[in-house]
Amino acid sequence: MHLRRLPTKGPRVIQGPGENAGVVDIGDGFAAVFKMESHNHPSFIEPYQGAATGVGGILRDVFTMGARPIASLNSLRFGRPDHPRTPELLRGVVAGIGGYGNCIGVPTVGGELAFDERYDGNILVNAFTCGVARADRIFYGRATGIGNSILYIGAKTGRDGIHGATMASDEFSQGGPSQRPTMQVGDPFMGKLLIEACLQLFSEDVLLGIQDMGAAGLTSSSVEMAGRANNGIELDLDSVPRRAKAMTPYEILLSESQERMLLVARPGMEARVLEICAHWDLDAAVIGKVTDTQRWVIKATPGYCPLTDPDAPRAPAVVCDLPIGVLTDDAPVYERPRAARGRPLPAVDEGAIPVPRDLGHELLELLGSPNVGSRAWVWRQYDQIVRGGTIVRPGSDAAVVRVPCEKDGHVVEKLLAFAADCNGRMCELDPFAGGAMAIAEVCRNLACSGAEPIGITDCLNFGNPERPEVMDSFARAIDGLAAACSALGVPIVSGNVSLYNETDGKAILPTPTVAAVGLVASLDDIVTAPFKREGDVVLLLGEAACAGARALGGSEWLVRKTGKLGGDAPAIDLEAEARLQKLVLRLARAHVLASAHDVSDGGLATALAECCTAGGPGVGARIEVAAQPSPLEATAALFGEAPSRVVISVEPGALATVLELARAAGVPASRIGETAGRALSIAAAPLGSLSVPVDDLRASRDGCLKGIVGD
């Protein structure tokens, strides 16, 4: 009900929510196919396999639509850096993502990482993948054509993953979930064979429908295919390939064994499907047919096990017969009660906010925070360049990947950009503003990279929706997402909802994670965050919509100083945000930007330090920010995380052009300094000034995770 308020249509949208992935037109007869999903609870129980199978699942969602996967991202949340399980969980999850993605040959080109005590008992592992397909060859998960054969292909079915779907909608307690599943185990090498087999099946046009066996396995995949086509389906479980003896129909239907797909073949093409699968060394079998009954009918021979006695006589009997509708569109729609949080977060007393005495020390300490510093320890474990298309690697505002698209012997090169974002603290302070800020930042990251945002996918991570305050937070966050999408003109075309993320009644921070896909018009339009050379002019585009204590609300600096999250979230002006992003993209396409980097975690001072250290040997800068009425407001100007600000650098000869374009666009633009030397110097009256060598800035950033994972 609440999700229906999200904008899902637009001139580029080919397929919105409701299928395995969203599809957006990227021109010249090609489309980007993408989605984000969660694998939170499995990753908390078994970090490596939980994260690995999360990557495998999202890859299948994308190539199921007929697309070859070309890039992946991830968004990760862990508990306190000093929590005893955090090192194990972080190492395991990162290794699982890298282990699967690296082996299957899809580059992991970016993502995000945050820590907070609210994730101590319930981490978040959200995985994103984008693929590219011909726009006229998109495949859908629909069981069409009465009498057509249904085929199972991929790995054999075992008992792994049973109750995985119910566990994902279960609260944790100190003893774990109430129904502990057998953990799914991924096989990226089998996954690679499955990709290639499916792409060959698509190219030979032998299929009418295809669906990944994800959560709830054969049950959900078959029901969803029938429901989308408004047909019935009949399955014979005796024919399902299996690797565990004496499996019951219940176990076969709910197994979440990985690397499996369900297909509907074109009439007479069953033999060709089986032949192609045999070529790729995949199990395959005809296991059912499409019917006109609009019922889900499951048959199995009592006691039959092909592994024990394959020649035993079979007499399949009906073990389940249900209307498709009660499992799909006719299922109950809950309108859960909503109520604002009974006890608001404590206000932040302006008098209790300390005035920084040593700004250089403050900046180095902030850069060394696990929530602000470099993520290089993470992304160095990922293959970022497999397939040879990655142009901008992790470490800038967005990744950019070159994709050669072939159609009828002609190759067209497309440039796609990717970013993911969410600040759960801002959503806790104000779900509406936090949701809007997530959309604004992920699109701003694309604009700063020279890309036009063309589509968004979401992964909405919340606590128990049966609690009115959680339901209220969920609904308000959706309204924030919707408002920002409407203001920026970018639709949400796919997504996922992950609820019951809490342990012993303590919910995670509301975390509506979003990932965005952008289209870069030309190689020359690409912009990255690092300062490029000495002598360039540094400007600040845009301005915060609030000042003082509110501009510091939810910031890493304030939480570290006060030891708590409280007060009001910074304000966001969506109209001003839209003007800023249009201006930055115009400047990128005019090729006048040497660098561009948005102001977000850690504030303006951190953004400037990142520009000095994010690439190459590093270039320093001499900066003077506008004088503020008080030390508190100067502190907020440096360390506040209010949105809608971008740091750019340009050659001196381009300064007048940039200022004129900004004036015409209605975007505040101020010259704040120039690139120079091997130190970052910032003057912030009346607070004071700092000067820190670039090497010290880099060392602090690079060491941010050492306290968790060591050297």
Side-chain angles (χ1 to χ4, degrees):
M1 179 180 69
H2 296 290
L3 298 176
R4 293 172 186 156
R5 299 198 295 275
L6 294 172
T8 60
K9 300 183 184 303
R12 290 186 179 271
V13 177
I14 296 172
Q15 174 64 53
E19 271 288 343
N20 289 293
V23 185
V24 176
D25 185 11
I26 59 173
D28 297 305
F30 295 95
V33 181
F34 55 94
K35 191 181 181 183
M36 176 179 272
E37 280 199 345
S38 63
H39 229 223
N40 303 334
H41 288 183
S43 300
F44 186 75
I45 294 172
E46 210 300 303
Y48 184 97
Q49 289 298 347
T53 52
V55 173
I58 198 63
L59 285 165
R60 288 193 299 276
D61 280 340
V62 167
F63 73 73
T64 292
M65 302 290 292
R68 178 175 289 280
I70 54 99
S72 293
L73 305 174
N74 53 77
S75 175
L76 311 177
R77 297 291 185 276
F78 296 92
R80 289 167 291 141
D82 60 354
H83 188 278
R85 281 208 70 191
T86 296
E88 163 218 346
L89 291 168
L90 177 59
R91 289 192 189 99
V93 164
V94 171
I97 293 169
Y100 199 101
N102 297 353
C103 291
I104 205 168
V106 177
T108 302
V109 296
E112 57 159 3
L113 168 67
F115 301 85
D116 192 276
E117 65 176 351
R118 293 279 289 278
Y119 304 106
D120 279 352
N122 199 124
I123 66 172
L124 302 183
V125 176
N126 295 172
F128 163 94
T129 290
C130 179
V132 170
R134 283 178 50 162
D136 60 351
R137 289 188 181 173
I138 304 299
F139 288 79
Y140 299 95
R142 300 168 189 171
T144 58
I146 307 305
N148 285 341
S149 296
I150 297 170
L151 290 91
Y152 168 120
I153 73 168
K156 291 180 170 66
T157 293
R159 290 189 172 91
D160 45 326
I162 295 172
H163 292 150
T166 54
M167 182 268 292
S169 297
D170 190 11
E171 289 184 48
F172 279 173
S173 66
Q174 291 301 326
S178 62
Q179 294 191 79
R180 183 175 293 274
T182 51
M183 185 57 61
Q184 305 103 317
V185 177
D187 182 348
F189 302 104
M190 175 74 76
K192 175 63 173 174
L193 296 176
L194 194 59
I195 289 177
E196 299 304 330
C198 287
L199 292 176
Q200 184 175 349
L201 291 168
F202 299 146
S203 69
E204 296 194 17
D205 199 22
V206 296
L207 302 181
L208 289 172
I210 181 169
Q211 176 73 32
D212 163 41
M213 290 191 215
L218 187 55
T219 298
S220 62
S221 57
S222 58
V223 167
E224 288 170 5
M225 292 186 81
R228 293 187 188 118
N230 198 31
N231 283 327
I233 204 163
E234 183 178 301
L235 300 179
D236 178 5
L237 300 186
D238 291 354
S239 301
V240 172
R242 62 189 86 173
R243 53 182 164 79
K245 294 180 180 180
M247 291 188 72
T248 66
Y250 178 87
E251 291 172 325
I252 296 170
L253 287 169
L254 290 183
S255 168
E256 293 182 16
S257 294
Q258 299 293 289
E259 335 304 346
R260 302 179 303 158
M261 312 289 282
L262 201 62
L263 319 177
V264 178
R266 289 188 179 278
M269 292 296 180
E270 296 87 351
R272 183 55 182 155
V273 173
L274 296 173
E275 183 181 2
I276 291 171
C277 291
H279 170 77
W280 292 102
D281 201 22
L282 298 174
D283 279 286
V286 177
I287 66 166
K289 62 182 179 181
V290 180
T291 70
D292 61 359
T293 63
Q294 296 185 327
R295 298 188 72 84
W296 188 61
V297 178
I298 308 299
K299 295 181 177 181
T301 298
Y304 174 72
C305 178
L307 300 181
T308 304
D309 187 0
D311 297 324
R314 293 196 291 154
V318 174
V319 295
C320 189
D321 185 348
L322 290 171
I324 292 290
V326 303
L327 302 173
T328 54
D329 294 340
D330 297 335
V333 177
Y334 292 109
E335 187 171 350
R336 296 198 181 278
R338 295 171 51 185
R341 186 168 37 213
R343 184 175 58 187
L345 291 172
V348 175
D349 180 3
E350 292 192 9
I353 299 176
V355 175
R357 300 301 178 189
D358 184 341
L359 289 180
H361 174 77
E362 295 285 340
L363 177 56
L364 287 172
E365 186 178 68
L366 188 58
L367 293 175
S369 162
N371 277 331
V372 172
S374 170
R375 272 74 185 104
W377 179 89
V378 176
W379 49 255
R380 281 173 183 159
Q381 298 181 59
Y382 303 151
D383 191 334
Q384 313 140 38
I385 59 172
V386 63
R387 294 182 55 80
T390 307
I391 297 173
V392 179
R393 301 191 192 186
S396 194
D397 285 55
V400 181
V401 175
R402 177 195 287 115
V403 187
C405 302
E406 191 274 333
K407 181 179 180 181
D408 301 329
H410 179 61
V411 177
V412 177
E413 186 174 88
K414 293 294 178 181
L415 299 167
L416 296 179
F418 310 101
D421 189 77
C422 184
N423 189 320
R425 289 174 174 172
M426 298 301 183
C427 295
E428 176 74 353
L429 295 178
D430 183 335
F432 180 93
M437 280 190 262
I439 295 289
E441 183 173 350
V442 80
C443 292
R444 195 184 318 126
N445 286 333
L446 295 182
C448 285
S449 302
E452 173 195 358
I454 59 173
I456 291 174
T457 181
D458 61 35
C459 192
L460 309 180
N461 306 274
F462 287 81
N464 184 347
E466 297 167 40
R467 294 199 283 128
E469 65 272 20
V470 172
M471 196 66 237
D472 184 66
S473 175
F474 177 79
R476 290 171 59 202
I478 286 174
D479 288 337
L481 298 174
C485 286
S486 296
L488 300 176
V490 188
I492 292 179
V493 298
S494 61
N496 175 67
V497 176
S498 176
L499 302 174
Y500 297 94
N501 287 291
E502 54 185 70
T503 298
D504 290 331
K506 186 175 182 180
I508 61 165
L509 292 172
T511 313
T513 308
V514 293
V517 175
L519 187 61
V520 181
S522 163
L523 273 172
D524 295 332
D525 296 352
I526 297 173
V527 184
T528 56
F531 292 144
K532 302 300 185 299
R533 56 189 168 261
E534 295 190 43
D536 282 347
V537 178
V538 181
L539 298 97
L540 180 64
L541 302 180
E543 62 184 4
C546 54
R550 185 166 185 185
L552 283 168
S555 67
E556 177 71 5
W557 184 86
L558 186 61
V559 171
R560 290 175 66 86
K561 288 300 176 183
T562 64
K564 62 183 180 181
L565 177 64
D568 297 318
I572 180 168
D573 181 336
L574 290 173
E575 293 183 359
E577 179 72 43
R579 292 194 297 271
L580 172 66
Q581 293 190 22
K582 289 177 181 177
L583 171 65
V584 173
L585 184 57
R586 181 175 181 183
L587 294 174
R589 289 176 170 174
H591 308 153
V592 297
L593 296 179
S595 69
H597 184 37
D598 86 311
V599 177
S600 57
D601 298 342
L604 175 60
T606 293
L608 290 164
E610 290 167 345
C611 291
C612 292
T613 60
V619 178
R622 291 190 293 264
I623 303 296
E624 182 174 356
V625 299
Q628 300 296 318
S630 70
L632 173 64
E633 291 182 87
T635 302
L638 286 181
F639 302 123
E641 297 175 9
S644 308
R645 294 175 292 163
V646 172
V647 173
I648 64 170
S649 63
V650 301
E651 291 184 346
L655 177 61
T657 298
V658 171
L659 292 174
E660 175 56 29
L661 289 173
R663 185 198 64 76
V667 175
S670 56
R671 175 175 179 164
I672 60 173
E674 59 280 326
T675 58
R678 292 284 301 161
L680 172 62
S681 301
I682 304 177
L687 188 60
S689 62
L690 64 85
S691 183
V692 182
V694 168
D695 289 343
D696 291 352
L697 298 173
R698 178 179 283 111
S700 187
R701 290 190 68 227
D702 289 349
C704 70
L705 299 179
K706 286 184 179 180
I708 305 173
V709 296
D711 295 330

